Amino acid sequence: MLKKIDHIGIAVHSISQARIFYEQALGLHCEQIEEVPSQQVRTAFFSLGETKIELLEPMNEDGPIAKFLQRQGEGVHHIAYRSDNAAAQLEKAEKAGCRLINTTPIAGAGGKQIGFL
């Protein structure tokens, strides 16, 4: 069911500040900025080969990314794997003993169905 690494999510305080590094130092191009209300986050995507880098900026102080930043500071938040069946992949992970944050897929950036372990 898993196809590839889709993207690496990196929590940042400010997309506008962080994108300077990704665009000027790394030479990447910001392809899309989107708000994902279900996760209380604003995202910015940069392609690097077949994998994307996703910057995650909290939309408020109560969301999961805001809490992550308070605990950990800026840095890698998640690695997203592309699956052809997110619901079945979550079920398989749960049966294997993984603790699921989402037991069923939810709406993510780009209209994708996502679930966190």
Side-chain angles (χ1 to χ4, degrees):
M1 285 186 284
L2 290 182
K3 301 298 180 188
K4 67 175 194 164
I5 293 176
D6 186 78
H7 67 271
I8 299 169
I10 301 172
V12 298
H13 292 289
S14 166
I15 286 174
S16 63
Q17 289 296 312
R19 92 183 257 193
I20 294 168
F21 169 75
Y22 288 90
E23 291 177 338
Q24 293 181 9
L26 299 182
L28 301 178
H29 172 70
C30 181
E31 298 172 349
Q32 171 185 348
I33 295 178
E34 177 183 352
E35 289 187 358
V36 184
S38 67
Q39 296 298 303
Q40 301 172 49
V41 69
R42 183 174 297 106
T43 66
F45 282 94
F46 300 81
S47 286
L48 185 57
E50 290 187 25
T51 304
K52 293 188 183 288
I53 295 172
E54 177 189 32
L55 301 183
L56 303 154
E57 174 189 283
M59 292 171 60
N60 59 52
E61 294 182 18
D62 298 326
I65 296 302
K67 291 176 183 173
F68 177 88
L69 287 166
Q70 290 168 5
R71 285 190 317 270
Q72 308 281 32
E74 293 187 325
V76 174
H77 177 263
H78 65 269
I79 298 174
Y81 302 94
R82 182 172 296 171
S83 172
D84 56 10
N85 188 331
Q89 196 69 53
L90 288 170
E91 184 178 321
K92 181 178 181 178
E94 186 173 41
K95 286 180 180 175
C98 290
R99 183 178 66 85
L100 303 184
I101 295 171
N102 305 104
T103 56
T104 59
I106 60 172
K112 294 180 180 174
Q113 293 293 299
I114 64 170
F116 287 94
L117 310 176

